[in-house]
């Protein structure tokens, strides 16, 4: 599970930002929203609010970049356009198998080199005292090198910088470096990142192909979403009636020579009051998105995965988004986590859904981009557990709220129209 994400000079973030999933256990409200393991208290969900183009998606991109780096894939990193530095800095603190780890790296985009990386394990005692033990530090800028595998201490300064250390040496010969590699890969593989504006159906289709308990739970999720649907299934292609323009029921083979992913979507059948219809042609955009996200939600809850969703509320009714978040906050969820960006203020509910530290904001002004949580507002500033947070946000008291002046566009349009008429 993710505990903290750090970024500097990455995408929209010029200065250092930190997004935290740490639970403040001084508050006993909604304790089921907190995952507790080995004295670590981690939030199961967090929602991120803010205006368009403020940096919400950039935070998702940072997590995507971290995942890519850990899996030895292209990171897609870009430095902030307002800085002269080509060095992007990213870091993540996470829990894996009951242990807390921290990994930070600096990547020179121009040279395509990892000029800094460090990996530590963090221990916490029953009194909440933390102790950090460094496993690896490779600082090529200051020429500082440290590694628990002493036999490669002299090797670290001279190995290639075009990748993380664990990918440029044969780790099988070094116990700790090999363990670092396995920890990073296992953590990264548990992260699913989706954009609800362009969510693929393929993930749900792949689960639907296997007749097992996951497939059944995906179908139940879709049916329980109150879509007036009797059933949702992946039918065999020979059971789907396709008609050509001349009325023949069975088309020539070349007609079916289309990409497999399209053919799979044709096979998705929804049933309404006993009538079977192709989901791709009949169902609404929102229904298709619910079917698409169903597999990610069920798999995350079943397997303890981390689901990162951009624009969670896109085309989905607010009651459904609340229900999805409630599934992750529920006490039956023991180790799954969901982080999402959202505009729907119906979710901004500290009375029924969230702890204060689960609501985050990204605010942008001429001086930069700011990332902060509702918990950063003290009771003196008027944010208590009983506060109407939605109303405060509407009034702009919490920031991260756009201030459109579209009336100026209308005045400009009408003004131009009058001017054109006058010329005529």
């Amino acid at each position: 599970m993710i505990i903290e994400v750090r970024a500097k000079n990455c995408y929209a973030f010029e200065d250092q930002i930190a997004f935290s999933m740490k639970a403040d256990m001084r508050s006993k409200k909604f304790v089921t929203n907190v995952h507790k393991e080995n004295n670590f208290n981690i939030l199961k969900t967090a929602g991120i609010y803010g205006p368009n183009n403020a940096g919400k998606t950039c935070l998702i991109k940072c997590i995507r970049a971290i995942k890519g780096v850990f899996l030895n894939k292209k990171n897609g990193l870009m430095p902030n356009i307002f800085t002269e530095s080509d060095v992007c800095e990213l870091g993540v603190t996470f829990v894996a198998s009951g242990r807390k780890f921290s990994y930070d790296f600096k990547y020179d985009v121009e040279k395509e080199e990892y000029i800094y990386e460090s990996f530590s394990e963090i221990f916490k005692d029953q009194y909440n005292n933390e102790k950090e033990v460094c496993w690896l530090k490779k600082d090529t800028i200051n020429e500082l090198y440290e590694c628990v595998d002493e036999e490669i201490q002299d090797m670290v300064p001279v190995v290639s910088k075009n990748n993380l250390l664990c990918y440029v040496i044969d780790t099988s010969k070094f116990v700790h470096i090999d363990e670092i590699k396995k920890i990073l890969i296992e953590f990264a593989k548990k992260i699913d990142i989706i954009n609800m504006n362009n969510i693929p159906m393929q993930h749900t289709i792949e689960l639907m192909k296997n007749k097992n308990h996951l497939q059944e739970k995906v179908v139940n999720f879709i049916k329980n979403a109150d879509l007036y649907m009797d059933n949702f299934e992946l039918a065999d292609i020979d059971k789907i009636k396709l008609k050509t323009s001349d009325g023949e029921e069975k088309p020539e083979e070349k007609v079916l020579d289309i990409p497999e992913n399209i053919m799979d979507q044709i096979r998705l059948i929804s049933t309404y009051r006993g009538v079977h219809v192709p989901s791709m042609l009949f169902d609404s955009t929102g229904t298709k998105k619910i079917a698409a996200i169903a597999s990610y939600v069920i798999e995350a809850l079943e397997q303890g995965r981390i689901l990162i969703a951009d624009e969670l509320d896109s085309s989905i009714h607010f009651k459904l988004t609340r229900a999805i978040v409630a599934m992750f906050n529920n006490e039956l969820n023991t180790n799954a986590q969901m982080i999402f960006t959202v505009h729907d203020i119906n979710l901004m509910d500290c009375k029924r859904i969230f702890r204060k530290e689960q609501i985050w904001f990204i605010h942008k002004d001429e001086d930069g981009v700011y990332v902060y949580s509702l918990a950063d507002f003290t009771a003196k500033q008027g944010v208590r557990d009983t506060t109407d947070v939605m109303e405060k946000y509407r009034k702009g008291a919490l920031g991260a709220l756009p201030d459109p002046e579209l009336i100026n566009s209308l005045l400009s349009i009408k003004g131009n129209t009058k001017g054109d008429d006058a010329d005529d």
Side-chain angles (χ1 to χ4, degrees), residues 236-271:
D236 294 333
I237 192 63
D238 58 356
K239 294 181 181 179
I240 300 175
K241 293 183 179 180
L242 298 174
K243 294 186 178 182
T244 57
S245 57
D246 59 6
E248 294 180 2
E249 290 193 359
K250 187 175 180 180
E252 297 178 6
E253 288 297 323
K254 63 181 180 181
V255 177
L256 297 179
D257 188 18
I258 56 180
E260 184 180 352
N261 61 332
I262 300 298
M263 182 60 71
D264 283 340
Q265 291 197 43
I266 292 174
R267 293 170 58 195
L268 284 176
I269 301 297
S270 301
T271 304

Side-chain angles (χ1 to χ4, degrees), residues 32-46:
T32 59
N33 294 15
V34 179
H35 171 75
K36 301 178 181 180
E37 187 174 4
N38 290 350
N39 293 325
F40 302 120
N41 301 298
I42 311 164
L43 298 171
K44 296 178 182 178
T45 64

Side-chain angles (χ1 to χ4, degrees), residues 76-87:
L77 283 170
M78 292 176 57
N80 184 270
I81 61 174
F82 300 111
T83 63
E84 297 181 359
S85 174
D86 294 317
V87 178

Side-chain angles (χ1 to χ4, degrees), residues 117 136 138 152 156 159 163-169 171 177:
E117 60 177 305
L136 170 69
K138 188 181 80 169
I152 65 169
V156 177
V159 296
N163 212 329
L164 300 186
L165 179 67
C166 63
Y167 284 113
V168 295
I169 65 173
T171 60
I177 295 298

Side-chain angles (χ1 to χ4, degrees), residues 199-216:
I199 183 172
M201 186 67 76
Q202 199 59 36
H203 194 261
T204 290
I205 290 172
E206 291 304 318
L207 285 188
M208 294 288 290
K209 287 180 178 179
N210 301 314
K211 302 293 184 181
N212 54 29
H213 74 287
L214 277 181
Q215 184 260 1
E216 293 175 2

Side-chain angles (χ1 to χ4, degrees), residues 209-226:
K209 287 180 178 179
N210 301 314
K211 302 293 184 181
N212 54 29
H213 74 287
L214 277 181
Q215 184 260 1
E216 293 175 2
K217 290 183 178 181
V218 169
V219 173
N220 285 333
F221 179 97
I222 297 169
K223 290 163 64 177
N224 291 334
D226 193 21

Side-chain angles (χ1 to χ4, degrees), residues 1-4 21-22 35-43 70 92-103 119-124 130 183-184 186-188 190-191 304-306 334-337:
M1 300 180 81
I2 292 174
I3 296 178
E4 184 177 89
M21 295 293 288
K22 294 179 182 178
H35 171 75
K36 301 178 181 180
E37 187 174 4
N38 290 350
N39 293 325
F40 302 120
N41 301 298
I42 311 164
L43 298 171
F70 288 179
V92 61
T93 303
F94 60 96
V95 164
S97 301
R99 300 164 67 187
K100 183 177 179 181
F101 302 101
S102 180
Y103 200 99
F119 180 88
S120 301
E121 182 170 6
I122 301 166
F123 299 91
K124 190 174 184 179
E130 291 192 350
I183 290 170
L184 297 182
E186 181 182 358
F187 167 67
K190 284 191 172 184
I191 301 175
R305 301 181 64 81
I306 303 167
T334 55
N335 56 356
Q337 189 177 46

